[in-house]
Amino acid sequence: MKKILVTGGTGYIGSHTVVELINSGYKIVIADNLTNSKIEVLDRIEKITGIKPQFEKLDISDSKATKAFFETNNDIELVIHFAAYKAVGESVQKPLMYYQNNLNSLMNILTEMSRHNIENLIFSSSCTVYGQPDILPVTEQSPIKKADSPYGNTKQVAEEIISDTIFSNKNLKSIALRYFNPIGAHKSALIGELPIGVPNNLIPFVTQTVAGKREQLSVFGNNYNTEDGTAIRDYIHVVDLAQAHLVATERLLDKNNKLDFETFNIGTGRGNSVLEVINTFEEVTGEKINYKIAPRRLGDIEKVWADTTFANKELGWKAKLSLADALLSAWNWEKTQ
Ligand code: NAD
Ligand code: WQD
């Protein structure tokens, strides 16, 4: 059997996806430069699945190194491209670093896929491409709004690069998965989101506050046009998200499918406010969160959640795990840190 290349496979979403792929019998090679993940993740994956995936330390934004990698790994059938920088705020401070890493990596992958006749690509996109949608829940047909950050722009431009490349190379097919807000960790608590510095995202901030690493959580804004005044997002369990990659893999490898480029919303279809997240966390863990209401965070949108009809029907995929499941798993992961 040929292999699946998972770039960024030691990272948060990548590691959970590798577990699902191995459990379904796929052979994996991970390429990651470990800028935002640790090599120990490989042992953790082995503990969960019984198999240690092949690993290559590689900077995919380096075209020469990537070319050499594809020359020695000539049995790749499909690429899942996670490798990217993802911190929205940092991208505003260091836009070129984000454009260089995220876009050069993608172009190197597409170049080598074309050179080696590799036909299948799954790309990590984001609901950030929608900005604040005019109509909710947001469908894949909603207009792409001007990106709020260089990071968001890398995802918009990346989708265009893939679409243009497919137009010129009829052998290539791709699925872009637009993730909503991934949270939680594997039930084993052996893999999860690596906390580096002060977290920007809500859930790591919540768990670190309860663990005593942060003093107090700030709830950014309680004067939004929502029921309780706090902002609404579609929080998806990372294991559900990982499974979406599995079904996307099967769809691409199905020779009867004549697709070229498809985009899917990968969310739960449910929106939850920040206060709902806090209350659910407290209920499910029995822990109290020290929080205060603070001003709105610059650049935040009011509300977004996914219309997942297309993914449900076409991919045959649906998020199964609840917000409570996800928050409990995030807390169990935090306790191991
Ligand atoms: P992560 O930082 O945990 O994982 C990304 C991995 O890519 C890391 O292991 C990092 O070391 C690696 N990497 C970065 N640049 C690289 C390069 N040039 N060469 C090789 N490896 C490189 O992030 P994640 O949360 O797992 O996100 C994975 C993907 O999903 C990213 O493309 C991200 O933009 C996208 N995404 C994430 C979220 C989210 O909230 N986590 C939401 C939407 C989309
Ligand atoms: C969620 C909600 C905050 C922290 C980001 C990226 C997006 C995507 C997912 C990659 C918001 C509130 C947060 C805190 C709070 N990533 N909050 N106090 O901003 O929806 O999305 O991650 O593609 O592109 O922008 O996620 O977890 O930062 O915030 O009140 O300390 O929690 O205001 O309403 P966000 P988040």
Side-chain angles (χ1 to χ4, degrees):
M1 194 183 77
K2 288 193 168 183
K3 278 185 202 152
I4 296 179
L5 166 61
V6 183
T7 77
T10 42
Y12 173 44
I13 305 169
S15 58
H16 288 83
T17 302
V18 168
V19 165
E20 296 305 315
L21 291 167
I22 291 178
N23 282 342
S24 295
Y26 288 102
K27 268 175 92 179
I28 305 296
V29 52
I30 293 175
D32 199 302
N33 63 357
L34 302 174
T35 50
N36 202 32
S37 57
K38 291 196 173 144
I39 194 74
E40 290 82 54
V41 167
L42 297 175
D43 296 328
R44 304 297 186 89
I45 292 173
E46 186 179 14
K47 268 197 183 145
I48 297 170
T49 64
I51 291 173
K52 190 168 182 170
Q54 182 192 337
F55 176 81
E56 302 279 343
K57 188 161 186 275
L58 171 70
D59 177 358
I60 297 153
S61 71
D62 176 338
S63 58
K64 272 197 190 140
T66 305
K67 184 169 187 270
F69 167 84
F70 275 88
E71 271 159 17
T72 40
N73 290 274
N74 52 13
D75 53 352
I76 293 165
E77 192 171 17
L78 181 144
V79 180
I80 308 184
H81 184 47
F82 290 107
Y85 294 149
K86 62 164 180 176
V88 175
E90 185 183 52
S91 79
V92 176
Q93 303 305 319
K94 300 175 182 169
L96 293 178
M97 186 174 114
Y98 271 68
Y99 287 118
Q100 260 162 16
N101 193 51
N102 293 6
L103 296 182
N104 283 340
S105 295
L106 173 67
M107 290 188 291
N108 289 339
I109 288 291
L110 286 167
T111 302
E112 297 310 321
M113 287 180 69
S114 298
R115 206 194 305 273
H116 294 273
N117 299 316
I118 301 167
E119 294 178 358
N120 308 297
L121 173 69
I122 298 175
F123 177 69
S124 298
S125 191
S126 168
C127 69
T128 189
V129 301
Y130 299 121
Q132 175 60 67
D134 300 323
I135 301 167
L136 287 165
V138 63
T139 69
E140 291 82 354
Q141 276 69 51
S142 303
I144 301 297
K145 297 265 176 82
K146 184 177 166 12
D148 281 330
S149 68
Y151 165 75
N153 204 28
T154 68
K155 294 298 176 193
Q156 295 188 357
V157 174
E159 287 194 11
E160 287 175 0
I161 291 174
I162 295 170
S163 164
D164 290 345
T165 310
I166 287 176
F167 188 78
S168 75
N169 174 357
K170 299 294 178 212
N171 291 327
L172 188 65
K173 9 192 222 328
S174 178
I175 293 180
L177 300 178
R178 292 178 178 160
Y179 314 153
F180 281 65
N181 287 53
I183 62 166
H186 192 262
K187 61 176 189 280
S188 63
L190 286 165
I191 51 173
E193 191 168 9
L194 198 66
I196 290 180
V198 181
N200 289 308
N201 295 115
L202 177 62
I203 307 309
F205 208 104
V206 164
T207 60
Q208 290 196 9
T209 305
V210 176
K213 294 179 188 161
R214 310 277 154 215
E215 210 171 304
Q216 192 173 43
L217 168 74
S218 292
V219 172
F220 296 139
N222 69 345
N223 57 355
Y224 283 110
N225 183 23
T226 62
E227 213 158 288
D228 62 25
T230 63
I232 293 179
R233 298 288 184 274
D234 185 332
Y235 296 96
I236 174 165
H237 197 305
V238 67
V239 172
D240 274 329
L241 178 57
Q243 282 167 2
H245 295 79
L246 187 63
V247 290
T249 295
E250 283 156 6
R251 185 171 175 85
L252 282 170
L253 295 182
D254 177 355
K255 297 284 176 233
N256 298 319
N257 253 329
K258 296 285 168 245
L259 60 96
D260 50 13
F261 183 39
E262 292 182 318
T263 52
F264 290 98
N265 282 347
I266 303 297
T268 64
R270 235 182 11 242
N272 288 103
S273 72
V274 178
L275 287 180
E276 280 172 343
V277 169
I278 290 175
N279 293 336
T280 309
F281 185 92
E282 290 187 337
E283 265 168 41
V284 74
T285 63
E287 303 284 342
K288 270 258 141 309
I289 302 170
N290 177 15
Y291 73 88
K292 64 167 186 207
I293 304 297
R296 290 182 181 194
R297 183 171 67 178
L298 207 70
D300 265 353
I301 58 162
E302 183 166 89
K303 47 189 163 188
V304 66
W305 64 94
D307 184 322
T308 59
T309 312
F310 189 48
N312 301 159
K313 284 199 179 140
E314 283 296 317
L315 286 180
W317 168 91
K318 203 172 177 21
K320 295 186 197 119
L321 299 162
S322 67
L323 178 65
D325 293 328
L327 294 173
L328 186 60
S329 70
W331 178 231
N332 287 337
W333 165 247
E334 176 65 52
K335 287 192 284 185
T336 69
Q337 296 303 294

